[in-house]
Amino acid sequence: MLINLITAWKDSALPEILNENKLSEAKEIQNLVVAQSSFQFDTPPRVVFVKDMHTQEEATHYGDLPVVSLQAEEQKIYDQTLSQLSANKNFYNGNQIVLTGAVYDTSSNTLYLEALRVDYVFLVTLEKMKATKSKGSALHHKDFFKTGVLAPFISNDDKVSIIARKDKWTLRSVAAGFLECDDAAQPLKDLITETASKEADEEFALDRAGKRRFDFVGSATVASISFRDVIGMGMTPTIEFVAPIRIKQDANFILSIMNNNEAIDAHEHVAGSAISVSVAADEREMATHFMRQKLPGNFLYGPVLHACAVQVNQGMQFARRISEIHDSRFYPIGIFKPTPKKSLPDYSVDERVSHLKK
């Protein structure tokens, strides 16, 4: 069975959040609502990047991905922004990816991702280019999602480390980054998990000399796919993959490293702000208390804590929402599978999944 996860998000999960918050996407709002929904995989899926979802023609390398053709007015905005940003000597116009499709095949545990090859300037200018509403624009034919990965650490005593980012909101988060490739020849196979490991190393695990300060147990694994949209802001929505990394050391050791950060990207975080949140079943109240504080970034660490809790507590049932957090939802991918207790219809790629509301 094929599940169109973007359709599930847009036609079911997102409207449910909007309805509960008594909002519409077109309505101006005073209180910012960041709507978020995650789909949790039973086991890490095989990820395949494709050029087109209908043909399912695979893109094996970054250079295989299609590019976006811009109209004249859109190109002008792009060129102006590139010129402005290039004036900064530290500017880097990285090789980025936007997703336009996400379909999960339940029978083969395969996640198909339709993607386009773009650069950082494209991401910066996307909303402004779309606002021109240029006739014949390719930007209006598909749903565009910025895409990245969240790479939380799970200690050997089942705790997850959360740290404040050094941005204007002081968001609480984990090692994270956009999906980015070095060049056209870079393989797309394992791009998500490789990005997770790379960000983890650059933000925390390696010091400036390249010495490893704590040890991974195996590789990062794709645990869930998270959709996020800032309502009423006209911003491009985001798809993020939560890819936890298990660590050999305990939480106190990890915190000592993170709070005395010597990594190359240590400047991205607030020194001394890291804390640990238990995701063990017998310490559930600790995670609940942390979430109820509604600290900046709950739309980031909420999906992280949920995905890590599911990994640590295999077989345990989890609620589809976190208490008092109205703008987040969490769904096991198994909700789409028929079961002896409650059979569900076989939804095709383009059918709405309104049963998620039930």
Side-chain angles (χ1 to χ4, degrees):
M1 181 170 65
L2 298 177
I3 307 301
N4 188 328
L5 296 178
I6 291 179
T7 299
W9 155 248
K10 287 180 58 181
D11 290 358
S12 191
L14 181 57
E16 181 180 327
I17 293 171
L18 294 175
N19 182 62
E20 182 163 333
N21 285 276
K22 295 181 173 57
L23 300 169
S24 70
E25 290 186 84
K27 181 180 177 182
E28 284 192 25
I29 56 175
Q30 293 181 343
N31 297 321
L32 189 67
V33 172
V34 184
Q36 178 276 327
S37 289
S38 295
F39 297 94
Q40 184 81 29
F41 297 106
D42 297 333
T43 57
R46 182 172 73 98
V47 178
V48 177
F49 286 88
V50 297
K51 303 176 186 179
D52 181 270
M53 196 63 75
H54 295 291
T55 64
Q56 289 192 351
E57 181 182 359
E58 185 174 356
T60 58
H61 295 78
Y62 182 70
D64 295 336
L65 294 175
V67 296
V68 184
S69 297
L70 299 178
Q71 299 298 312
E73 193 173 0
E74 297 166 345
Q75 188 67 52
K76 182 180 179 181
I77 292 172
Y78 174 92
D79 292 340
Q80 288 175 341
T81 305
L82 176 60
S83 177
Q84 293 168 0
L85 294 178
S86 298
N88 186 328
K89 64 178 182 179
N90 296 319
F91 171 66
Y92 172 65
N93 197 16
N95 301 309
Q96 306 285 332
I97 285 174
V98 291
L99 295 183
T100 54
V103 171
Y104 178 65
D105 186 342
T106 61
S107 61
S108 63
N109 190 32
T110 301
L111 179 63
Y112 294 97
L113 300 176
E114 184 182 79
L116 295 171
R117 177 164 44 110
V118 301
D119 57 17
Y120 177 73
V121 173
F122 180 93
L123 296 183
V124 172
T125 57
L126 179 54
E127 291 93 354
K128 195 172 181 180
M129 291 190 297
K130 290 182 72 171
T132 65
K133 299 182 179 179
S134 299
K135 186 177 180 180
S137 173
L139 302 181
H140 301 289
H141 295 161
K142 292 179 179 290
D143 294 309
F144 282 72
F145 290 83
K146 297 178 182 179
T147 183
V149 62
L150 297 163
F153 300 135
I154 303 177
S155 65
N156 66 9
D157 49 352
D158 295 336
K159 294 180 180 179
V160 177
S161 300
I162 306 289
I163 192 167
R165 301 193 69 85
K166 195 176 289 184
D167 53 36
K168 62 182 180 180
W169 304 283
T170 321
L171 301 178
R172 271 64 171 183
S173 185
V174 296
F178 285 126
L179 291 186
E180 182 177 284
C181 294
D182 294 330
D183 51 42
Q186 181 165 337
L188 296 175
K189 185 178 183 293
D190 301 324
L191 177 62
I192 296 172
T193 52
E194 287 175 356
T195 300
S197 297
K198 175 176 176 289
E199 294 296 336
D201 281 345
E202 292 178 351
E203 294 186 33
F204 301 111
L206 302 181
D207 65 16
R208 292 182 181 275
K211 180 181 178 181
R212 185 164 296 280
R213 301 189 296 163
F214 52 81
D215 304 305
F216 298 171
V217 179
S219 303
T221 57
V222 177
S224 68
I225 179 172
S226 174
F227 294 79
R228 186 172 76 249
D229 197 2
V230 183
I231 306 304
M233 298 293 289
M235 297 174 64
T236 303
T238 300
I239 289 177
E240 284 176 316
F241 300 92
V242 181
I245 301 173
R246 288 190 174 268
I247 307 298
K248 289 183 180 180
Q249 289 81 11
D250 65 19
N252 287 336
F253 183 86
I254 297 170
L255 284 184
S256 70
I257 297 296
M258 293 177 67
N259 282 323
N260 298 278
N261 200 350
E262 299 175 5
I264 190 171
D265 288 340
H267 61 278
E268 296 180 2
H269 307 281
V270 178
S273 66
I275 62 168
S276 288
V277 181
S278 178
V279 290
D282 58 354
E283 294 186 277
R284 201 164 186 169
E285 183 56 35
M286 180 181 179
T288 301
H289 173 72
F290 180 76
M291 289 299 300
R292 284 176 176 166
Q293 296 179 67
K294 300 181 183 178
L295 299 171
N298 66 74
F299 53 85
L300 292 172
Y301 62 73
V304 161
L305 292 176
H306 186 271
C308 291
V310 172
Q311 277 209 349
V312 167
N313 304 286
Q314 294 289 325
M316 179 179 288
Q317 295 295 315
F318 287 85
R320 294 185 190 171
R321 56 183 298 170
I322 295 174
S323 179
E324 299 181 12
I325 306 296
H326 300 304
D327 45 9
S328 289
R329 297 291 186 278
F330 304 92
Y331 303 102
I333 203 72
I335 193 173
F336 298 104
K337 297 180 181 179
T339 64
K341 293 182 180 179
K342 182 180 179 182
S343 62
L344 297 174
D346 189 8
Y347 289 94
S348 68
V349 173
D350 295 317
E351 288 179 312
R352 295 180 58 176
V353 285
S354 58
H355 66 287
L356 282 178
K357 298 178 181 179
K358 298 178 180 179

